[in-house]
Amino acid sequence: MKVGVADTTFARVNMGAIAIDELKRQASVAIERTTVPGFKDLPVACKKLIEERGCEIVIALGMPGGKEKDKLCAHEASQGLMLAQLMTNRHIIEVFVHEDEAKDDAELAWLAEQRTREHAVNAVNLVLRPQVLVRQAGSGQRQGFEDAGPARQ
Ligand SMILES: Cc1nc2c(=O)[nH]c(=O)nc-2n(C[C@H](O)[C@H](O)[C@H](O)CO)c1C
């Protein structure tokens, strides 16, 4: 099984390296990596990882900046990633860490690592251990900051 990792030079954390480290901890899978300038370049990069490099699933890692323009572009990139999923019939796990989610650089680095690692686990589970996700259904999982947990009556 091959997992694709696509990340960007725009990001302020090496999210691709973190994803690869976590994938190696989780399972014995082949990994294909590509790095593009920014998140708008991710959809075609992910499609190529699937169609040309044989990936079963891809993790798309990006970091939207804090400006309004960045947020608009992030929405567009996200739509591109969804389209790529429908075109290829493969999951592309979008891991976006918005720069303004964190109060400072240290928290940004922590959040990017945490979210990347947790979604790398999700990607492996989706393909190799789907029953793990079924067991987590409705449990309020969050990637990065604390889990929300199940709603209580
Ligand atoms: C405005 C803008 N904001 C971001 C961003 O917040 N995060 C990011 O990864 N990339 C951004 N880019 C760059 C585009 O994604 C893309 O790399 C260029 O438009 C070249 O295709 C742009 C152009």
Side-chain angles (χ1 to χ4, degrees):
M1 210 262 293
K2 254 190 213 176
V3 179
V5 173
D7 68 347
T8 70
T9 59
F10 190 102
R12 298 181 58 220
V13 176
N14 189 341
M15 297 168 76
I18 296 166
I20 290 169
D21 181 66
E22 189 61 38
L23 287 169
K24 286 182 178 164
R25 285 172 197 240
Q26 290 299 318
S28 173
V29 290
I31 297 166
E32 294 282 329
R33 181 181 185 175
T34 189
T35 301
V36 294
F39 52 23
K40 280 180 147 181
D41 312 310
L42 286 173
V44 72
C46 293
K47 187 166 174 284
K48 287 169 78 151
L49 282 170
I50 293 164
E51 292 181 347
E52 297 175 9
R53 292 166 72 178
C55 295
E56 184 65 30
I57 189 164
V58 177
I59 303 170
L61 304 145
M63 185 169 287
K67 299 185 183 136
E68 271 316 302
K69 192 177 180 186
D70 299 322
K71 294 178 199 298
L72 179 65
C73 287
H75 177 64
E76 291 164 352
S78 190
Q79 287 185 311
L81 288 171
M82 285 191 280
L83 191 59
Q85 292 185 76
L86 295 172
M87 290 172 83
T88 58
N89 210 24
R90 292 282 184 277
H91 285 290
I92 297 172
I93 302 298
E94 178 189 301
V95 186
F96 280 4
V97 177
H98 293 249
E99 241 185 302
D100 59 9
E101 283 185 86
K103 63 177 182 306
D104 55 30
D105 275 15
E107 189 174 64
L108 183 67
W110 172 85
L111 178 61
E113 173 160 1
Q114 208 52 33
R115 186 166 294 159
T116 299
R117 287 191 185 281
E118 290 188 42
H119 271 312
V121 175
N122 280 336
V124 170
N125 285 341
L126 259 173
V127 178
L128 294 181
R129 312 187 280 244
Q131 70 283 2
V132 172
L133 293 175
V134 174
R135 282 201 294 275
Q136 291 178 351
S139 61
Q141 299 293 312
R142 297 292 183 270
Q143 291 74 34
F145 293 122
E146 200 182 339
D147 291 343
R152 309 213 178 272
Q153 286 187 319

